[in-house]
Coordinates of all heavy atoms in Angstrom, one line a residue:
M1 N 0.8 -1.2 -0.1 CA 0.0 0.0 0.0 C 0.9 1.2 0.1 O 1.9 1.2 0.7 CB -0.9 0.0 1.2 CG -1.8 -1.2 1.4 SD -3.5 -0.8 1.1 CE -3.9 0.0 2.6
V2 N 0.5 2.3 -0.7 CA 1.2 3.5 -0.9 C 0.4 4.6 -0.4 O -0.8 4.7 -0.7 CB 1.7 3.7 -2.3 CG1 2.3 5.1 -2.5 CG2 2.6 2.7 -2.8
T3 N 0.9 5.4 0.5 CA 0.2 6.7 0.9 C 0.7 7.8 0.1 O 1.9 8.1 -0.1 CB 0.4 7.0 2.4 OG1 0.1 5.8 3.2 CG2 -0.3 8.2 2.9
Y4 N -0.3 8.5 -0.6 CA 0.1 9.7 -1.4 C -0.9 10.7 -1.1 O -2.1 10.7 -1.3 CB -0.1 9.2 -2.9 CG 0.1 10.4 -3.8 CD1 1.4 10.8 -4.0 CD2 -0.9 11.0 -4.5 CE1 1.7 11.9 -4.9 CE2 -0.6 12.0 -5.4 CZ 0.7 12.4 -5.5 OH 0.9 13.5 -6.4
L5 N -0.3 11.9 -0.6 CA -1.1 13.1 -0.3 C -2.4 12.7 0.4 O -3.5 13.0 0.0 CB -1.4 13.9 -1.6 CG -0.2 14.4 -2.4 CD1 -0.7 15.0 -3.7 CD2 0.6 15.3 -1.6
C6 N -2.2 12.2 1.6 CA -3.3 12.0 2.5 C -4.3 10.9 2.1 O -5.5 10.9 2.5 CB -4.1 13.2 2.9 SG -3.1 14.5 3.6
S7 N -4.0 10.1 1.2 CA -4.8 9.0 0.8 C -4.0 7.7 0.6 O -2.8 7.8 0.3 CB -5.6 9.4 -0.5 OG -4.7 9.6 -1.6
T8 N -4.6 6.6 0.8 CA -3.9 5.3 0.7 C -4.4 4.6 -0.6 O -5.6 4.5 -0.8 CB -4.1 4.5 1.9 OG1 -3.7 5.2 3.0 CG2 -3.3 3.2 1.8
H9 N -3.5 4.0 -1.3 CA -3.9 3.3 -2.5 C -3.4 1.8 -2.5 O -2.4 1.6 -1.8 CB -3.4 4.0 -3.8 CG -3.8 5.4 -3.8 ND1 -5.1 5.7 -4.3 CD2 -3.2 6.5 -3.5 CE1 -5.1 7.0 -4.2 NE2 -4.0 7.5 -3.8
D10 N -4.1 0.9 -3.1 CA -3.6 -0.5 -3.0 C -2.6 -0.8 -4.1 O -2.5 -1.9 -4.5 CB -4.9 -1.3 -3.2 CG -5.6 -1.2 -4.5 OD1 -5.3 -0.1 -5.2 OD2 -6.5 -2.0 -4.9
I11 N -1.8 0.1 -4.4 CA -0.6 -0.1 -5.3 C 0.6 -0.6 -4.5 O 0.9 0.1 -3.6 CB -0.3 1.1 -6.2 CG1 -1.6 1.6 -6.9 CG2 0.9 0.9 -7.1 CD1 -1.4 3.0 -7.5
P12 N 1.1 -1.7 -4.8 CA 2.3 -2.2 -4.1 C 3.5 -1.2 -4.2 O 3.7 -0.6 -5.2 CB 2.7 -3.5 -4.8 CG 1.4 -4.0 -5.5 CD 0.7 -2.7 -5.9
H13 N 4.1 -1.0 -3.1 CA 5.3 -0.1 -3.0 C 6.3 -0.3 -4.0 O 6.9 0.6 -4.6 CB 5.8 -0.1 -1.5 CG 6.6 1.0 -1.2 ND1 8.1 1.1 -1.4 CD2 6.4 2.3 -0.7 CE1 8.6 2.2 -1.0 NE2 7.6 2.9 -0.6
H14 N 6.7 -1.6 -4.2 CA 7.7 -2.0 -5.2 C 7.4 -1.6 -6.7 O 8.2 -1.3 -7.5 CB 8.1 -3.4 -5.1 CG 7.1 -4.4 -5.6 ND1 6.0 -4.8 -4.9 CD2 6.9 -5.0 -6.8 CE1 5.2 -5.7 -5.6 NE2 5.8 -5.8 -6.8
I15 N 6.1 -1.6 -6.9 CA 5.6 -1.2 -8.3 C 5.9 0.3 -8.5 O 6.4 0.8 -9.5 CB 4.1 -1.5 -8.5 CG1 3.9 -2.9 -8.4 CG2 3.7 -0.9 -9.9 CD1 4.5 -3.8 -9.4
V16 N 5.6 1.2 -7.5 CA 5.9 2.6 -7.5 C 7.4 2.9 -7.6 O 7.8 3.7 -8.4 CB 5.3 3.3 -6.3 CG1 5.6 4.8 -6.4 CG2 3.7 3.0 -6.2
E17 N 8.2 2.1 -6.8 CA 9.6 2.3 -6.9 C 10.2 1.9 -8.3 O 11.0 2.6 -8.8 CB 10.3 1.4 -5.8 CG 10.2 1.9 -4.4 CD 10.8 1.0 -3.4 OE1 11.0 -0.2 -3.8 OE2 11.0 1.4 -2.3
C18 N 9.7 0.8 -8.9 CA 10.1 0.4 -10.2 C 9.8 1.5 -11.2 O 10.6 1.9 -12.1 CB 9.4 -0.9 -10.6 SG 9.9 -1.5 -12.2
L19 N 8.6 2.1 -11.2 CA 8.3 3.2 -12.2 C 9.1 4.4 -11.9 O 9.5 5.0 -12.8 CB 6.7 3.5 -12.0 CG 6.2 4.6 -12.9 CD1 6.6 4.3 -14.5 CD2 4.8 4.9 -12.8
A20 N 9.4 4.7 -10.7 CA 10.2 5.8 -10.3 C 11.6 5.6 -10.9 O 12.2 6.6 -11.4 CB 10.3 6.0 -8.8
R21 N 12.2 4.4 -10.9 CA 13.4 4.2 -11.5 C 13.4 4.3 -13.0 O 14.3 4.9 -13.6 CB 13.9 2.8 -11.1 CG 14.5 2.6 -9.7 CD 15.2 1.3 -9.5 NE 14.3 0.1 -9.8 CZ 13.6 -0.4 -8.8 NH1 13.6 0.1 -7.6 NH2 12.9 -1.6 -9.1
L22 N 12.3 3.9 -13.6 CA 12.2 4.1 -15.1 C 12.0 5.6 -15.4 O 12.6 6.1 -16.3 CB 10.9 3.4 -15.6 CG 11.0 1.9 -15.6 CD1 9.6 1.3 -15.9 CD2 12.0 1.4 -16.5
L23 N 11.3 6.3 -14.6 CA 11.2 7.8 -14.8 C 12.6 8.5 -14.6 O 12.9 9.4 -15.4 CB 10.2 8.4 -13.8 CG 8.8 8.2 -14.0 CD1 7.9 8.6 -12.8 CD2 8.3 8.9 -15.3
A24 N 13.3 8.1 -13.6 CA 14.7 8.7 -13.4 C 15.6 8.4 -14.6 O 16.3 9.3 -15.1 CB 15.3 8.0 -12.2
A25 N 15.5 7.1 -15.2 CA 16.3 6.8 -16.3 C 15.9 7.6 -17.6 O 16.7 8.2 -18.3 CB 16.2 5.4 -16.7
H26 N 14.6 7.8 -17.7 CA 14.1 8.7 -18.8 C 14.5 10.2 -18.7 O 15.0 10.7 -19.6 CB 12.6 8.6 -18.9 CG 12.0 9.5 -19.9 ND1 12.1 9.2 -21.3 CD2 11.3 10.5 -19.9 CE1 11.5 10.1 -22.0 NE2 11.0 11.0 -21.2
R27 N 14.4 10.7 -17.5 CA 14.9 12.0 -17.2 C 16.3 12.2 -17.5 O 16.7 13.2 -18.1 CB 14.6 12.5 -15.7 CG 13.1 12.7 -15.4 CD 12.9 13.1 -14.0 NE 11.5 13.3 -13.7 CZ 11.1 13.8 -12.5 NH1 12.0 14.1 -11.6 NH2 9.8 13.9 -12.2
R28 N 17.2 11.2 -17.1 CA 18.6 11.3 -17.4 C 18.8 11.3 -19.0 O 19.6 12.0 -19.4 CB 19.4 10.2 -16.8 CG 19.7 10.4 -15.3 CD 20.6 9.3 -14.7 NE 20.2 8.0 -15.0 CZ 19.4 7.3 -14.2 NH1 19.0 7.9 -13.0 NH2 19.1 6.1 -14.4
R29 N 18.0 10.4 -19.6 CA 18.2 10.2 -21.0 C 17.9 11.5 -21.8 O 18.5 11.9 -22.8 CB 17.3 9.1 -21.6 CG 17.7 8.6 -22.9 CD 17.0 7.3 -23.2 NE 15.6 7.1 -22.7 CZ 15.3 6.2 -21.7 NH1 16.2 5.6 -21.0 NH2 14.0 6.2 -21.3
I30 N 16.9 12.3 -21.4 CA 16.5 13.5 -22.0 C 17.1 14.8 -21.6 O 16.9 15.8 -22.0 CB 14.9 13.6 -22.1 CG1 14.3 13.8 -20.7 CG2 14.2 12.5 -22.9 CD1 12.8 14.2 -20.7
G31 N 17.9 14.6 -20.5 CA 18.7 15.7 -19.9 C 17.9 16.7 -19.0 O 18.2 17.9 -19.0
T32 N 16.8 16.2 -18.3 CA 16.1 17.0 -17.5 C 17.0 17.5 -16.3 O 17.5 16.7 -15.6 CB 14.8 16.3 -16.9 OG1 14.1 15.8 -18.0 CG2 14.0 17.2 -16.0
P33 N 17.1 18.9 -16.1 CA 17.8 19.3 -14.9 C 17.2 18.9 -13.7 O 16.0 18.8 -13.4 CB 17.8 20.8 -15.1 CG 17.3 21.1 -16.5 CD 16.5 19.9 -16.9
R34 N 18.1 18.6 -12.6 CA 17.6 18.2 -11.3 C 16.8 19.4 -10.7 O 17.2 20.6 -10.9 CB 18.8 18.0 -10.4 CG 19.4 16.7 -10.6 CD 20.5 16.4 -9.6 NE 21.0 15.0 -9.8 CZ 20.7 14.0 -9.0 NH1 20.0 14.2 -7.9 NH2 21.2 12.8 -9.2
G35 N 15.7 19.1 -10.0 CA 14.9 20.1 -9.4 C 14.0 20.9 -10.2 O 13.4 21.9 -9.8
S36 N 13.9 20.5 -11.5 CA 13.1 21.3 -12.5 C 11.6 20.8 -12.6 O 10.9 21.4 -13.2 CB 13.7 21.3 -13.9 OG 13.6 19.9 -14.4
R37 N 11.4 19.7 -11.9 CA 10.0 19.2 -11.9 C 9.3 19.4 -10.6 O 9.9 19.6 -9.5 CB 10.0 17.6 -12.1 CG 10.6 17.2 -13.4 CD 9.8 17.5 -14.5 NE 10.3 16.9 -15.8 CZ 9.9 17.1 -16.9 NH1 8.7 17.8 -17.1 NH2 10.4 16.6 -17.9
A38 N 8.0 19.6 -10.7 CA 7.2 20.0 -9.5 C 7.2 18.8 -8.5 O 7.1 19.0 -7.2 CB 5.8 20.4 -9.9
L39 N 7.2 17.6 -9.0 CA 7.1 16.4 -8.1 C 8.4 15.6 -8.2 O 9.1 15.6 -9.3 CB 6.0 15.5 -8.5 CG 4.5 16.0 -8.3 CD1 3.6 15.0 -8.9 CD2 4.3 16.3 -6.9
G40 N 8.8 15.0 -7.1 CA 9.9 14.0 -7.1 C 9.5 12.8 -7.9 O 8.4 12.6 -8.3
L41 N 10.5 12.0 -8.1 CA 10.3 10.7 -8.8 C 9.2 9.8 -8.2 O 8.3 9.3 -8.9 CB 11.5 9.9 -9.0 CG 12.6 10.6 -9.9 CD1 13.9 10.0 -9.7 CD2 12.1 10.6 -11.3
F42 N 9.3 9.5 -6.9 CA 8.3 8.6 -6.3 C 6.9 9.2 -6.3 O 5.9 8.5 -6.6 CB 8.8 8.4 -4.8 CG 7.9 7.3 -4.2 CD1 8.3 6.0 -4.3 CD2 6.8 7.6 -3.4 CE1 7.5 5.0 -3.7 CE2 6.1 6.6 -2.8 CZ 6.4 5.3 -2.9
R43 N 6.7 10.5 -6.0 CA 5.4 11.1 -6.1 C 4.8 11.1 -7.5 O 3.7 10.9 -7.6 CB 5.4 12.4 -5.4 CG 5.6 12.4 -3.9 CD 5.3 13.8 -3.3 NE 5.4 13.6 -1.9 CZ 5.2 14.6 -1.0 NH1 4.9 15.8 -1.5 NH2 5.2 14.4 0.2
Q44 N 5.7 11.4 -8.5 CA 5.2 11.4 -9.8 C 4.7 10.0 -10.2 O 3.7 9.8 -10.9 CB 6.3 11.9 -10.8 CG 5.7 12.0 -12.2 CD 6.8 12.5 -13.2 OE1 7.9 12.8 -12.8 NE2 6.3 12.7 -14.4
A45 N 5.5 9.0 -9.8 CA 5.2 7.6 -10.2 C 3.8 7.3 -9.5 O 3.0 6.6 -10.1 CB 6.3 6.7 -9.7
A46 N 3.7 7.6 -8.2 CA 2.4 7.3 -7.5 C 1.2 8.0 -8.2 O 0.2 7.4 -8.3 CB 2.6 7.7 -6.1
L47 N 1.5 9.3 -8.6 CA 0.4 10.0 -9.2 C 0.0 9.3 -10.6 O -1.2 9.2 -10.8 CB 0.8 11.5 -9.5 CG -0.2 12.3 -10.2 CD1 -1.4 12.5 -9.4 CD2 0.5 13.7 -10.6
V48 N 1.0 9.0 -11.4 CA 0.7 8.3 -12.6 C -0.1 7.0 -12.4 O -1.1 6.7 -13.1 CB 2.0 8.1 -13.4 CG1 1.8 7.1 -14.6 CG2 2.5 9.3 -13.9
L49 N 0.4 6.2 -11.5 CA -0.3 4.9 -11.2 C -1.7 5.1 -10.7 O -2.7 4.4 -11.1 CB 0.5 4.1 -10.3 CG 1.8 3.5 -10.9 CD1 2.7 2.9 -9.8 CD2 1.6 2.6 -11.9
R50 N -1.9 6.1 -9.9 CA -3.2 6.4 -9.4 C -4.2 6.9 -10.6 O -5.3 6.5 -10.7 CB -3.1 7.6 -8.3 CG -4.5 7.9 -7.8 CD -4.4 9.0 -6.7 NE -5.7 9.6 -6.5 CZ -5.9 10.8 -6.1 NH1 -5.0 11.6 -5.8 NH2 -7.1 11.2 -5.9
W51 N -3.6 7.7 -11.4 CA -4.3 8.1 -12.6 C -4.7 7.0 -13.5 O -5.9 6.9 -13.9 CB -3.4 9.1 -13.4 CG -4.1 9.8 -14.6 CD1 -4.9 10.9 -14.5 CD2 -4.2 9.4 -15.9 NE1 -5.4 11.2 -15.7 CE2 -5.0 10.3 -16.6 CE3 -3.6 8.3 -16.6 CZ2 -5.2 10.2 -18.0 CZ3 -3.8 8.1 -18.0 CH2 -4.7 9.0 -18.6
F52 N -3.9 6.0 -13.7 CA -4.3 4.8 -14.5 C -5.3 4.1 -13.8 O -6.2 3.5 -14.3 CB -3.0 4.0 -14.8 CG -2.2 4.4 -16.0 CD1 -1.0 4.9 -15.8 CD2 -2.8 4.5 -17.3 CE1 -0.2 5.3 -16.9 CE2 -2.1 4.9 -18.3 CZ -0.8 5.3 -18.2
R53 N -5.2 3.9 -12.5 CA -6.1 3.1 -11.6 C -7.5 3.7 -11.6 O -8.5 3.0 -11.7 CB -5.6 3.1 -10.1 CG -6.5 2.5 -9.1 CD -6.7 1.0 -9.3 NE -5.7 0.3 -8.5 CZ -5.4 -0.9 -8.7 NH1 -6.1 -1.6 -9.5 NH2 -4.5 -1.5 -8.0
E54 N -7.6 5.0 -11.6 CA -8.9 5.7 -11.6 C -9.3 6.1 -12.9 O -10.2 6.9 -13.1 CB -8.8 6.8 -10.6 CG -8.5 6.4 -9.2 CD -8.5 7.5 -8.2 OE1 -8.9 8.6 -8.5 OE2 -8.1 7.2 -7.0
R55 N -8.6 5.6 -14.0 CA -9.0 5.9 -15.4 C -9.0 7.4 -15.7 O -10.0 7.9 -16.4 CB -10.3 5.2 -15.7 CG -10.3 3.8 -15.6 CD -11.7 3.1 -16.0 NE -11.5 1.7 -16.0 CZ -12.0 1.0 -15.0 NH1 -12.5 1.5 -13.9 NH2 -11.8 -0.3 -15.0
G56 N -8.0 8.1 -15.3 CA -7.9 9.5 -15.7 C -8.8 10.5 -14.8 O -8.8 11.6 -15.2
K57 N -9.3 10.1 -13.7 CA -10.2 10.9 -13.0 C -9.6 11.5 -11.7 O -10.3 11.9 -10.8 CB -11.5 10.2 -12.6 CG -12.3 9.8 -13.9 CD -13.5 9.0 -13.6 CE -14.2 8.5 -14.8 NZ -15.3 7.6 -14.5
V58 N -8.3 11.6 -11.6 CA -7.6 12.1 -10.5 C -7.9 13.6 -10.3 O -7.8 14.3 -11.4 CB -6.1 11.9 -10.5 CG1 -5.4 12.6 -9.4 CG2 -5.8 10.3 -10.6
G59 N -8.3 14.0 -9.2 CA -8.6 15.4 -9.0 C -10.0 15.9 -9.4 O -10.3 17.1 -9.1
V60 N -10.7 15.1 -9.9 CA -12.1 15.4 -10.3 C -13.0 15.1 -9.1 O -13.2 13.9 -8.8 CB -12.6 14.7 -11.6 CG1 -14.0 15.1 -11.9 CG2 -11.7 15.1 -12.7
S61 N -13.7 16.0 -8.5 CA -14.6 15.8 -7.5 C -16.0 16.4 -7.8 O -16.1 17.7 -7.9 CB -14.1 16.3 -6.1 OG -13.9 17.7 -6.3
R62 N -17.0 15.6 -8.0 CA -18.2 16.0 -8.4 C -19.3 15.2 -7.6 O -19.2 14.2 -7.2 CB -18.5 15.8 -9.9 CG -17.6 16.8 -10.7 CD -18.0 16.5 -12.1 NE -17.0 17.3 -12.9 CZ -17.2 17.7 -14.1 NH1 -18.4 17.6 -14.7 NH2 -16.4 18.4 -14.7

């Protein structure tokens, strides 16, 4: 389980870590400067996985 911004998701921690490593490799490959992104690798990975889990409805409250 991963806690992300005051909510808990049933995504295994090792899956988020794996995606974070892939994001890190991609950022290095394209030359993204350190500190230039709003989210760190782990939080970005958790957000992406949450977005896929909820079918693109993250942040929509109606």
Side-chain angles (χ1 to χ4, degrees):
M1 299 250 286
V2 174
T3 301
Y4 177 73
L5 298 178
C6 301
S7 61
T8 303
H9 304 284
D10 60 348
I11 301 167
H13 196 268
H14 71 278
I15 299 294
V16 181
E17 287 178 342
C18 181
L19 181 56
R21 285 192 299 273
L22 290 171
L23 286 169
H26 179 70
R27 286 182 184 185
R28 281 191 303 274
R29 196 168 37 254
I30 64 173
T32 301
R34 286 185 173 252
S36 66
R37 299 289 184 182
L39 293 177
L41 292 166
F42 189 86
R43 286 189 174 184
Q44 184 179 5
L47 178 66
V48 167
L49 291 170
R50 180 180 168 207
W51 186 84
F52 279 116
R53 168 72 84 196
E54 297 181 11
R55 295 183 178 100
K57 297 177 184 171
V58 174
V60 176
S61 58
R62 291 182 187 205

